[in-house]
Amino acid sequence: MNGLSLIDSILDGVYGAANCGGRKGDYNFVPAVDIEKNGNAYVLYMDLPGKTEADIELSVKENILTIASAKADGANSGANDSTNNADNATNDSAKKEEESRYLICERIPAGNFKRTFTLANDCDAAKISAQLKNGVLTVTIPVKAEAEAQKIRIQAA
Protein backbone atom coordinates (compact mmCIF):
# COMPACT_ATOMS: atom_id res chain seq x y z
CA MET A 1 0.00 0.00 0.00
CA ASN A 2 1.48 3.35 -0.98
CA GLY A 3 1.41 6.43 1.26
CA LEU A 4 -1.56 8.03 -0.51
CA SER A 5 -3.66 4.86 -0.21
CA LEU A 6 -2.84 4.68 3.47
CA ILE A 7 -3.94 8.30 4.00
CA ASP A 8 -7.11 7.67 1.99
CA SER A 9 -7.99 4.61 4.06
CA ILE A 10 -7.41 6.54 7.29
CA LEU A 11 -9.59 9.44 6.15
CA ASP A 12 -12.29 7.08 4.88
CA GLY A 13 -12.31 5.37 8.25
CA VAL A 14 -12.76 8.65 10.11
CA TYR A 15 -14.63 11.00 7.77
CA GLY A 16 -16.38 8.45 5.59
CA ALA A 17 -18.32 7.36 8.62
CA ALA A 18 -20.86 10.17 8.54
CA ASN A 19 -23.83 8.43 6.93
CA CYS A 20 -26.62 10.97 7.16
CA GLY A 21 -29.94 11.70 5.57
CA GLY A 22 -31.42 8.27 6.16
CA ARG A 23 -28.79 6.39 4.18
CA LYS A 24 -28.12 2.97 5.58
CA GLY A 25 -24.68 1.91 6.70
CA ASP A 26 -22.55 1.11 9.67
CA TYR A 27 -21.25 4.05 11.64
CA ASN A 28 -17.58 3.91 12.46
CA PHE A 29 -17.32 5.62 15.80
CA VAL A 30 -13.91 6.52 17.18
CA PRO A 31 -14.32 7.85 20.72
CA ALA A 32 -12.00 10.64 21.86
CA VAL A 33 -9.40 9.54 24.43
CA ASP A 34 -7.03 11.31 26.82
CA ILE A 35 -4.44 9.37 28.83
CA GLU A 36 -2.45 10.82 31.69
CA LYS A 37 0.02 9.56 34.27
CA ASN A 38 -1.44 10.52 37.61
CA GLY A 39 0.69 9.57 40.62
CA ASN A 40 0.82 5.78 40.80
CA ALA A 41 -1.61 5.13 37.94
CA TYR A 42 -2.34 5.78 34.29
CA VAL A 43 -5.81 7.26 33.80
CA LEU A 44 -7.65 6.93 30.49
CA TYR A 45 -10.65 9.19 29.77
CA MET A 46 -12.93 8.22 26.86
CA ASP A 47 -15.96 10.21 25.69
CA LEU A 48 -18.94 7.87 25.27
CA PRO A 49 -22.08 10.01 25.09
CA GLY A 50 -25.31 8.08 25.45
CA LYS A 51 -23.65 4.83 26.51
CA THR A 52 -24.48 2.90 29.66
CA GLU A 53 -22.31 0.51 31.63
CA ALA A 54 -24.12 -2.39 29.95
CA ASP A 55 -23.14 -1.10 26.47
CA ILE A 56 -19.39 -1.13 27.14
CA GLU A 57 -17.04 -4.09 27.38
CA LEU A 58 -13.53 -3.82 28.85
CA SER A 59 -11.03 -6.67 28.73
CA VAL A 60 -7.30 -7.25 29.16
CA LYS A 61 -5.42 -10.06 27.46
CA GLU A 62 -1.68 -10.37 26.98
CA ASN A 63 -1.04 -6.77 28.05
CA ILE A 64 -3.66 -5.38 25.61
CA LEU A 65 -6.56 -3.34 27.02
CA THR A 66 -9.64 -3.49 24.78
CA ILE A 67 -12.62 -1.17 25.12
CA ALA A 68 -15.55 -1.97 22.85
CA SER A 69 -19.26 -1.46 22.33
CA ALA A 70 -21.26 -3.63 19.97
CA LYS A 71 -24.62 -2.12 20.90
CA ALA A 72 -25.54 0.80 18.67
CA ASP A 73 -27.79 3.55 19.97
CA GLY A 74 -31.21 4.20 18.45
CA ALA A 75 -29.93 6.81 16.00
CA ASN A 76 -28.11 4.25 13.88
CA SER A 77 -29.67 0.95 14.83
CA GLY A 78 -31.90 0.86 11.77
CA ALA A 79 -34.99 0.36 13.92
CA ASN A 80 -38.30 1.27 12.30
CA ASP A 81 -41.27 2.43 14.37
CA SER A 82 -43.74 1.05 11.84
CA THR A 83 -45.59 -2.10 12.87
CA ASN A 84 -46.91 -2.68 9.32
CA ASN A 85 -45.53 -5.25 6.92
CA ALA A 86 -42.05 -4.96 5.36
CA ASP A 87 -43.33 -3.25 2.15
CA ASN A 88 -45.04 -0.47 4.11
CA ALA A 89 -41.96 0.00 6.29
CA THR A 90 -39.79 0.37 3.17
CA ASN A 91 -42.23 2.86 1.60
CA ASP A 92 -42.43 4.89 4.83
CA SER A 93 -38.65 5.03 5.04
CA ALA A 94 -38.30 6.15 1.40
CA LYS A 95 -41.04 8.79 1.87
CA LYS A 96 -39.35 10.14 5.00
CA GLU A 97 -36.00 10.34 3.14
CA GLU A 98 -37.64 12.33 0.30
CA GLU A 99 -39.20 14.81 2.76
CA SER A 100 -36.04 15.48 4.75
CA ARG A 101 -32.43 16.04 3.73
CA TYR A 102 -29.50 16.92 5.94
CA LEU A 103 -27.63 20.03 4.87
CA ILE A 104 -24.87 19.60 7.44
CA CYS A 105 -24.00 16.34 9.19
CA GLU A 106 -21.48 16.62 12.02
CA ARG A 107 -23.06 14.49 14.75
CA ILE A 108 -22.05 10.88 14.34
CA PRO A 109 -23.99 8.68 16.75
CA ALA A 110 -21.90 6.78 19.28
CA GLY A 111 -22.42 3.36 17.75
CA ASN A 112 -20.19 0.34 17.47
CA PHE A 113 -16.51 0.74 18.20
CA LYS A 114 -13.45 -1.14 19.39
CA ARG A 115 -10.23 0.46 20.61
CA THR A 116 -7.15 -1.31 21.90
CA PHE A 117 -4.28 0.01 23.99
CA THR A 118 -0.97 -1.71 24.71
CA LEU A 119 -0.27 -1.44 28.42
CA ALA A 120 3.15 -0.38 29.65
CA ASN A 121 5.23 -3.04 31.38
CA ASP A 122 4.75 -1.34 34.74
CA CYS A 123 0.92 -1.61 34.62
CA ASP A 124 -0.92 -3.85 37.09
CA ALA A 125 -3.63 -5.30 34.81
CA ALA A 126 -5.22 -7.24 37.68
CA LYS A 127 -6.14 -4.01 39.46
CA ILE A 128 -7.67 -2.00 36.59
CA SER A 129 -10.91 -0.22 37.50
CA ALA A 130 -13.44 1.70 35.41
CA GLN A 131 -16.24 4.20 36.02
CA LEU A 132 -18.77 5.75 33.62
CA LYS A 133 -20.07 9.16 34.65
CA ASN A 134 -21.76 11.85 32.54
CA GLY A 135 -20.77 10.17 29.27
CA VAL A 136 -17.08 9.87 30.18
CA LEU A 137 -15.50 6.48 30.82
CA THR A 138 -12.59 6.72 33.26
CA VAL A 139 -10.26 3.72 33.34
CA THR A 140 -7.63 3.69 36.08
CA ILE A 141 -4.63 1.47 35.47
CA PRO A 142 -2.45 1.20 38.58
CA VAL A 143 1.32 1.02 38.31
CA LYS A 144 2.98 -2.03 39.89
CA ALA A 145 4.99 -1.37 43.01
CA GLU A 146 8.65 -1.20 42.09
CA ALA A 147 10.59 -4.19 43.21
CA GLU A 148 13.48 -3.20 45.38
CA ALA A 149 16.91 -4.39 44.37
CA GLN A 150 17.99 -7.34 46.45
CA LYS A 151 21.52 -7.44 47.75
CA ILE A 152 23.19 -10.75 47.18
CA ARG A 153 25.79 -11.75 49.68
CA ILE A 154 28.99 -13.06 48.19
CA GLN A 155 30.51 -15.94 50.09
CA ALA A 156 34.23 -16.47 50.30
CA ALA A 157 35.38 -19.66 48.67
Side-chain angles (χ1 to χ4, degrees), residues 48-115:
L48 296 174
K51 295 291 185 183
T52 66
E53 293 85 354
D55 298 334
I56 304 164
E57 181 180 314
L58 272 81
S59 62
V60 177
K61 184 178 181 181
E62 297 177 4
N63 224 32
I64 303 290
L65 171 66
T66 301
I67 304 172
S69 177
K71 181 179 177 186
D73 64 5
N76 67 345
S77 65
N80 192 325
D81 293 336
S82 176
T83 56
N84 297 338
N85 65 31
D87 291 336
N88 287 342
T90 303
N91 290 337
D92 290 345
S93 178
K95 184 178 178 183
K96 187 175 182 179
E97 187 173 334
E98 287 177 15
E99 293 173 359
S100 172
R101 292 190 145 201
Y102 284 91
L103 301 176
I104 297 174
C105 185
E106 295 178 340
R107 298 181 312 139
I108 299 173
N112 300 338
F113 72 89
K114 181 177 181 181
R115 297 223 34 202

Side-chain angles (χ1 to χ4, degrees), residues 7-19 27-30 108:
I7 292 170
D8 284 342
S9 69
I10 292 169
L11 292 176
D12 285 345
V14 175
Y15 296 109
N19 293 328
Y27 290 96
N28 297 321
F29 173 60
V30 182
I108 299 173

